[in-house]
Amino acid sequence: MRNIKLLVEYDGTNYAGWQRQKNVMTIQEKIETAIEKITGEKTQITGSSRTDTGVHAKGYTGNFYTNSKISVEKFTGAINSKLPLDIVILHCFEVPCEFHSRYNCTGKMYSYTILNRYEAVAVGRNYIYHHKRILDVEAMKEASKYFMGTHDFSAFKNLGSSVKTSVRTITRLDIIKNEDIIKIYIAADGFLYNMVRIIVGALVRVGEGKIKPNEIKDIILSKERAKAGKSVPPGGLCLEEVFY
Amino acid sequence: MRNIKLLVEYDGTNYAGWQRQKNVMTIQEKIETAIEKITGEKTQITGSSRTDTGVHAKGYTGNFYTNSKISVEKFTGAINSKLPLDIVILHCFEVPCEFHSRYNCTGKMYSYTILNRYEAVAVGRNYIYHHKRILDVEAMKEASKYFMGTHDFSAFKNLGSSVKTSVRTITRLDIIKNEDIIKIYIAADGFLYNMVRIIVGALVRVGEGKIKPNEIKDIILSKERAKAGKSVPPGGLCLEEVFY
């Protein structure tokens, strides 16, 4: 039995997220069906995480077992030939039998893209969150420091997944403004459910002047979800990389 | 009678270009229908140019006449409320009666975006041209110099529009590489039919080493369309700005 690791890019606009569900189309189902067409075997992919409806990925990872003799080089093109244009296998890797794309994951990096201008947007609208009111990026950068490091992020977690602990370590939180695009990169050893979108929502409230940068500290300490405020929409979110 | 100038952004993916045609949906028809819903008047927009199927715009311009008393500030939101998400009116301007968005245009700037990597692409795929083979960007920059200035661009024109002369003046041709994205900005006093896409096609052939940078000079002088080679696909093309 071979264990194949997949590196996947997808446009999540038209899918109900990664994980297979009844009555809605998901990315997992599309790729499993494509692999089954190639290998003739019933296939189940172990994904590195769930992603929500409308969230994108440039570096999603998963793995599956197969008896197929197709070389790892040929697998990529073969699976892609059975996939729609909004899902692409970037690479297939031959990995040891014990490799597990979720358990072996040591961290992840996401990006979140805000278009910060008054006018609405047509080009690229599915990949950005359009925020009309001009944000104070310096205040957002100041606030980002309070997220860095190890904290109990209970205030930045929605219900929906069972996890043993809400303690996570954020290793990177960069906010880069380029003309009217604000790009936020956030890396951690793991993320709670909706954590990135709730953190970005709080940063946006700082940028609007509704809360002060140093209030982030108190919101974290409160462990109360309500204090963190609204999360931002899924389209701006992209899973950039899964670390092993 | 008032004359209203429109500044328009659109995602051309799902349209048969700007200009109204029978049996296919166009951007012009969508906006004219939206305006008619607001003003109750039969409306015809004079566009600054045609754009092809799949080509995008961040700064398209047009103008239309109306007897409506709606303020120019309220027009933008009113028209947008009747438009699909892939077409956005960025601004409406009150202009003198004699203003004509095509005749008064003094130039245009387009961008063309190439994703230059081996792997296929899902995120943003409608806005880029994916080119697998790594291009020599320095050679492309060298070649771009030969396009600058005033030339007869007959070799870089497809049949399909009647123009008095094929002489145009290119005032800007910048090629900027950022990681695996190559962005080309090209401005001129006017463009012939498919001119940008044929020029970029020739630059790609230079980047592949199939023609030398200085051969561009001979291709221009030849005035033969066949010598310029294949044009690149429409998705990478975006009308950035129309000058007046």
Side-chain angles (χ1 to χ4, degrees), chain A residues 5 10 165 241:
Chain A
K5 179 186 166 195
Y10 55 79
T165 166
E241 198 174 345

mmCIF file of all heavy atoms in Angstrom, chain A residues 5 10 165 241:
data_model
loop_
_atom_site.group_PDB
_atom_site.id
_atom_site.type_symbol
_atom_site.label_atom_id
_atom_site.label_comp_id
_atom_site.label_asym_id
_atom_site.label_seq_id
_atom_site.Cartn_x
_atom_site.Cartn_y
_atom_site.Cartn_z
ATOM 1 N N LYS A 5 0.843 11.946 -0.636
ATOM 2 C CA LYS A 5 0.495 13.267 -0.102
ATOM 3 C C LYS A 5 0.184 14.211 -1.267
ATOM 4 O O LYS A 5 0.898 14.221 -2.272
ATOM 5 C CB LYS A 5 1.675 13.826 0.712
ATOM 6 C CG LYS A 5 1.422 15.216 1.300
ATOM 7 C CD LYS A 5 2.694 15.747 1.968
ATOM 8 C CE LYS A 5 2.591 17.234 2.245
ATOM 9 N NZ LYS A 5 3.895 17.839 2.548
ATOM 10 N N TYR A 10 -7.132 25.534 -4.480
ATOM 11 C CA TYR A 10 -8.529 25.602 -4.928
ATOM 12 C C TYR A 10 -9.161 26.960 -4.705
ATOM 13 O O TYR A 10 -8.782 27.704 -3.811
ATOM 14 C CB TYR A 10 -9.391 24.489 -4.316
ATOM 15 C CG TYR A 10 -9.414 24.382 -2.811
ATOM 16 C CD1 TYR A 10 -10.202 25.227 -2.033
ATOM 17 C CD2 TYR A 10 -8.682 23.391 -2.171
ATOM 18 C CE1 TYR A 10 -10.246 25.099 -0.654
ATOM 19 C CE2 TYR A 10 -8.715 23.255 -0.789
ATOM 20 C CZ TYR A 10 -9.497 24.108 -0.037
ATOM 21 O OH TYR A 10 -9.537 23.983 1.325
ATOM 22 N N THR A 165 -7.870 21.903 23.864
ATOM 23 C CA THR A 165 -7.421 23.151 24.471
ATOM 24 C C THR A 165 -7.597 24.303 23.482
ATOM 25 O O THR A 165 -7.566 24.098 22.271
ATOM 26 C CB THR A 165 -5.931 23.046 24.888
ATOM 27 O OG1 THR A 165 -5.441 24.357 25.176
ATOM 28 C CG2 THR A 165 -5.076 22.442 23.788
ATOM 29 N N GLU A 241 -0.230 27.837 3.456
ATOM 30 C CA GLU A 241 0.775 26.770 3.633
ATOM 31 C C GLU A 241 0.479 25.942 4.873
ATOM 32 O O GLU A 241 0.035 26.483 5.894
ATOM 33 C CB GLU A 241 2.169 27.410 3.745
ATOM 34 C CG GLU A 241 3.300 26.439 3.490
ATOM 35 C CD GLU A 241 4.680 27.105 3.464
ATOM 36 O OE1 GLU A 241 4.766 28.356 3.368
ATOM 37 O OE2 GLU A 241 5.674 26.368 3.571
#
